Amino acid sequence: MSGSLTFPMLGLILFCVLAETAREVCFKQSASQNALLSALARPVTWLGIFFWAVELLAWTAVLEHVALSIAFPLMALSYVVIVFAGALIFKENINLRHAAGVFLVTAGVACVGVTGL
């Protein structure tokens, strides 16, 4: 393992971020109705599980080539993307303190990304 971040690996990490976002959106959609057992009967729950499995495979590939100390902080981008997905899809509110936190996470991810390239 070289431990350095290449552009193909950065792309795979971004794919993992999107897969994680899709998974969380699916699970939120499924959880917004009734109980756990009925959620298991919904196709959107299984779609979320599918995204989880795909992300697991992609993440394993990332970890084969990129140092964990670089790859894992970059996955924090999922926090940012999920906040925006929640606001766009579920009309969740983002207050100023929440937005500041998202900005700080993004700044931290940028610092890690620059040092990894």
Side-chain angles (χ1 to χ4, degrees):
M1 175 180 76
S2 68
S4 63
L5 183 64
T6 63
F7 284 108
M9 286 297 111
L10 180 60
L12 198 52
I13 291 170
L14 293 177
F15 172 80
C16 288
V17 167
L18 293 177
E20 185 167 328
T21 302
R23 178 190 77 211
E24 293 303 327
V25 166
C26 289
F27 287 165
K28 172 68 175 174
Q29 182 66 36
S30 179
S32 65
Q33 305 164 359
N34 297 331
L36 177 62
L37 289 178
S38 63
L40 290 174
R42 290 190 186 86
V44 71
T45 301
W46 293 101
L47 183 59
I49 292 170
F50 170 77
F51 282 123
W52 174 78
V54 169
E55 179 191 355
L56 175 67
L57 295 174
W59 184 242
T60 302
V62 167
L63 293 178
E64 288 179 33
H65 302 285
V66 180
L68 185 61
S69 61
I70 293 171
F72 189 74
L74 290 175
M75 278 298 292
L77 281 176
S78 65
Y79 300 144
V80 174
V81 178
I82 289 170
V83 166
F84 286 116
L88 290 172
I89 297 168
F90 300 110
K91 308 300 183 217
E92 297 175 354
N93 291 327
I94 302 173
N95 62 29
L96 184 58
R97 192 170 42 189
H98 198 159
V102 168
F103 173 77
L104 291 172
V105 168
T106 305
V109 167
C111 289
V112 170
V114 169
T115 60
L117 287 176

